[in-house]
Amino acid sequence: MVSFSDNTSLSCPNNPSQAPKFANTFTTRIFSDVAGDITITVDGESFLLHKFPLVSRSGKIRKMVADGKDYNVSKLELVNFPGGPHTFELAMKFCYGMNFEITAANAALLRCAAEYLEMSEDYREENLIARTEVYLNDVVVQSLEKCVEVLCTCENLPPIVEELGIINTCVEAIAMNACKEQLVSGLSTLDCNGESTELKTGCMEWWIEDLSVLRIDYYHKVITSMARIGVRPDSIVESLMHYAQISLKSIGKCQIWNPARPNSNSGTTENKQKTIVEALVNLLPTLKSSNVPLSFLFGMLRMAIMVEATVACRLELERRIAFRLEMASLDDLLIPSLRAGDSLFDIDTVHRILVNFLQQIEDEENEDSGGYESDGLASLGHGSLLKVGRLIDSYLAEIAPDPYLSLQKFIAMIETLPDYARVIDDGLYRAIDIYLKAHPMLSDHECKKLCKFIDCQKLSQEATNHAAQNERLPVQMAIKVLYFEQLRLKNALCGSNGDGFLSQKISSGVPSAAMSPRDNYASLRRENRELKLEISRMRVRLSELEKEQVVMKRGMMEKSGNGKTFFTSLSKGIGRIGIFSGPGGGKRRKPRGSEGKSGRSRRYSVS
């Protein structure tokens, strides 16, 4: 009567003459020689049927007939029938004993219809409920593709499908099949040559594309079950990225960059996209278990901003980005602002990401250091901080020409970074100069307030020459630049070195007996950072001296070179080398003076 099939389409009887057809008219009858005695209406379509085969298998129809005013009731109406008229037709065929196939496309529909019609074993053995349960438990759960197909058919079914456990059965079966596939593919791709046991995972899992057709609530259940069972986090991340690419592709660049985009159909569409974004972010594996691509995180953050996702969703993305901010590119940070009348770029979001990054650096230092750091100079946190410093300076230079960028936001981005995050202030000077050029209406007070963040001692020779002739800078700034340039030249000519500076730093870092242990620790950390900054500067200077040495050697090799020029350059080179040793070759301490001041300002510290 009913057969199981792997096909997704309903098979037709071999002999059309033996396959009576249900119709929505009263004239067509199930048997040509027996008149129908009951009419059942389902969603506006009427079926002329016979009472006996229906009441013998369906408890609901039996009760409806029995509860009628008279036994000869001839009209019934089924409200909210699962699957509609097409599924009702299949259920009636089952009652009449006609042949049809149960497939993945109709199994859930028939199971819900059988529950609605109460077609249980109480009325007939091997009734429709039992037959559909056997198919779901013995055939569907063995195949990931069939489970996905069944879940797709459940999307339009009433809540009864959840109560029957069909969805949970398919979800668990998908997760289990994916886990089995992972084990099988892992064993087949295991490289056993020599002692290597590396697992090759180059290609995308085949089931990732199949899951992209699921509705987001079902997809969320599947991924949650996969994570619980033990599917690889990298495979889950690939699936999330593929699902986002398929389901959120309607969010185009023109929509992101156009705050005045039309709102037609935005109510339903944006709510759906918002739900998808929030669900995908919630499904991201933990930071320690998987390395989610940074470009994907930035893309999801842009979408979360556009669809106005919850604050918790956006903060989670910002926290994950801040964890690896040193790996970001300038294009990643250029997040467009969607608020009318605001700056072109979302400065507030980048500022929060930077604050999160600095907080993580501070937390790591508090966990790892109990005083002086033995390997502080090679500290991963400090190296990351220098990279982020260069990145933020480039970002400041990129957003500086924006005429809508307020001075307060620009300054907030500058002062968030500590001074020791910049070995050289050339990038900061360039960004401030661009901002001054793009905002000529700034007052003298505002110009002074902005330029005070530039440390003239941390400018290169090229930047110093430019600043000395820059008419956009305040007069006090230009004088300060010239003063430190003269001081630098004087130190080079006199052969002064940085030993006095270092000695001063070290001596100032000695804990005082009058200070509390907490203050001593804070002082040691502060002096340690200043030493890091000074040594970084010396490395930059050493690199410059190495370049000059190459030029001097080249001059010695040239036969036609000018002797006077050579000895002049040699004298300047020796004078610069003096920053590491005194005139007599030995180390000397220099009293605290203008040269011994700390290269680090006290505007901000992460300690």
Side-chain angles (χ1 to χ4, degrees), residues 33-88:
D33 54 344
V34 180
D37 53 5
I38 188 172
T39 301
I40 299 179
T41 303
V42 178
D43 293 344
E45 293 194 24
S46 299
F47 297 86
L48 184 58
L49 305 169
H50 302 81
K51 291 180 183 179
F52 178 74
L54 303 186
V55 298
S56 64
R57 289 187 178 271
S58 172
K60 185 177 183 65
I61 295 179
R62 177 182 295 185
K63 293 175 183 177
M64 292 177 70
V65 171
D67 293 341
K69 293 181 180 180
D70 54 59
Y71 186 76
N72 295 324
V73 61
S74 60
K75 292 183 180 180
L76 295 176
E77 182 178 4
L78 301 180
V79 183
N80 297 326
F81 188 84
H86 177 71
T87 305
F88 178 75

Side-chain angles (χ1 to χ4, degrees), residues 521-534:
Y521 172 67
S523 176
L524 291 177
R525 285 186 60 196
R526 184 164 53 251
E527 298 301 335
N528 192 24
R529 287 173 176 167
E530 292 175 354
L531 290 175
K532 290 180 183 179
L533 177 61
E534 187 60 26

Side-chain angles (χ1 to χ4, degrees), residues 434-497:
I434 294 174
Y435 188 86
L436 293 175
K437 184 177 181 180
H439 300 79
M441 303 304 294
L442 291 178
S443 64
D444 292 340
H445 174 72
E446 291 174 331
C447 291
K448 293 177 184 178
K449 183 179 180 181
L450 182 58
C451 292
K452 74 176 183 179
F453 295 101
I454 302 175
D455 189 347
C456 298
Q457 299 182 75
K458 294 165 66 176
L459 293 178
S460 66
Q461 185 68 45
E462 181 181 0
T464 300
N465 295 337
H466 186 278
Q469 305 175 20
N470 193 344
E471 298 180 353
R472 290 183 289 272
L473 298 180
V475 177
Q476 294 84 345
M477 179 69 183
I479 294 175
K480 192 176 181 181
V481 169
L482 291 173
Y483 169 75
F484 283 109
E485 179 61 17
Q486 291 295 327
L487 190 62
R488 182 186 300 174
L489 292 175
K490 179 181 178 182
N491 291 339
L493 291 174
C494 295
S496 63
N497 55 42

Side-chain angles (χ1 to χ4, degrees), residues 277-295:
V277 170
E278 293 172 356
L280 294 180
V281 172
N282 187 44
L283 289 171
L284 288 173
T286 59
L287 288 173
K288 295 182 179 180
S289 65
S290 178
N291 191 14
V292 183
L294 202 57
S295 59

Side-chain angles (χ1 to χ4, degrees), residues 132-189:
T132 52
E133 286 284 356
V134 169
Y135 181 79
L136 289 171
N137 295 327
D138 293 351
V139 179
V140 172
V141 297
Q142 304 299 326
S143 170
L144 188 147
E145 298 95 329
K146 286 186 174 60
C147 290
V148 171
E149 188 175 358
V150 170
L151 285 180
C152 289
T153 62
C154 292
E155 295 178 1
N156 299 320
L157 290 174
I160 189 176
V161 69
E162 188 89 29
E163 300 171 3
L164 295 176
I166 299 176
I167 294 177
N168 289 335
T169 299
C170 293
V171 165
E172 295 297 328
I174 291 174
M176 188 60 66
N177 280 295
C179 192
K180 290 179 181 178
E181 179 66 23
Q182 173 182 288
L183 294 175
V184 172
S185 61
L187 293 174
S188 63
T189 57

Side-chain angles (χ1 to χ4, degrees), residues 241 292-302 321 324 327-329 332:
M241 293 172 61
V292 183
L294 202 57
S295 59
F296 176 66
L297 293 177
F298 273 107
M300 291 298 295
L301 179 58
R302 286 182 171 89
I321 291 172
R324 290 181 290 143
M327 301 172 60
S329 65
D332 292 331

